[in-house]
Amino acid sequence: MAKIIGIDLGTTNSCVAVMEGREAKVIVNEEGSRITPSVVAYDEKGATTYLLTRQSSTNYFMDAWNGTSLTRKSSSVPECVSQPVPVSASQGNLLSTAYCDSAAAMQTWRFDGTTWTRLTGAQPAGPRINFTMSYDRDRDRVVLFGGESLQGVPFADTWEWDGTNWTKVAG
């Protein structure tokens, strides 16, 4: 029988539980806590839920939930990784684009299930924060929309990642 997983995804912390009969059992992370800092992406092909967790402003981890257990996949997540989205196997498991304070620029990273790799090539205009990204499976593209500048000025543009570069397609 398939298991039911519940994720209370908060903006700062999350709680993951699995149904056992009529009871929800909270999954304790490797640090022994029932809560985990939030960022989640689901890899449909690998049937894995990835959790980007942060213990402190400089201590990031990538954990994977396979339906029965939580496993540490990477203990060296770059500072500039946030909002990962699942992508096709040809593009790697997860893709992340974010403004990186230390580099004062937008950066794109790929996670292959073990390692994060910084990708070069065209980046979306930035700096930008609070944008939305989603994977378009039919066209094998990651789509990024909007966000705002560091000064709070909204962007109404749309960008697409083709596996190599970001291209502005609207706005």
Side-chain angles (χ1 to χ4, degrees):
M1 175 197 279
K3 290 201 177 218
I4 298 172
I5 183 172
I7 301 174
D8 176 6
L9 182 59
T11 56
T12 305
N13 291 297
S14 296
C15 180
V16 180
V18 64
M19 290 299 294
E20 292 186 352
R22 294 183 170 261
E23 299 289 320
K25 178 182 175 192
V26 174
I27 306 300
V28 177
N29 66 23
E30 287 188 356
E31 287 76 39
S33 178
R34 293 165 51 100
I35 61 170
T36 300
S38 301
V39 173
V40 175
Y42 180 70
D43 173 13
E44 188 175 317
K45 183 178 181 194
T48 302
T49 300
Y50 289 97
L51 299 113
L52 179 62
T53 61
R54 179 171 52 176
Q55 251 181 342
S56 68
S57 62
T58 58
N59 196 4
Y60 294 84
F61 304 103
M62 177 61 72
D63 294 332
W65 169 258
N66 65 7
T68 58
S69 63
L70 195 61
T71 306
R72 176 73 26 93
K73 299 302 280 184
S74 173
S75 57
S76 58
V77 177
E79 160 202 3
C80 303
V81 167
S82 80
Q83 299 179 326
V85 296
V87 294
S88 68
S90 66
Q91 292 192 30
N93 291 8
L94 301 173
L95 188 78
S96 173
T97 295
Y99 176 71
C100 184
D101 287 330
S102 63
M106 297 294 288
Q107 292 185 356
T108 299
W109 293 79
R110 176 180 295 137
F111 183 68
D112 65 8
T114 306
T115 306
W116 284 98
T117 303
R118 183 172 175 212
L119 305 176
T120 58
Q123 299 295 314
R128 73 177 61 216
I129 57 174
N130 301 327
F131 52 86
T132 301
M133 286 195 333
S134 184
Y135 177 63
D136 180 343
R137 182 182 349 176
D138 293 340
R139 297 181 316 114
D140 195 24
R141 299 278 190 268
V142 174
V143 180
L144 179 150
F145 174 75
E148 59 188 51
S149 71
L150 298 178
Q151 295 74 34
V153 177
F155 290 109
D157 54 355
T158 302
W159 293 75
E160 289 185 344
W161 174 260
D162 63 7
T164 305
N165 288 300
W166 285 100
T167 303
K168 187 176 182 178
V169 294

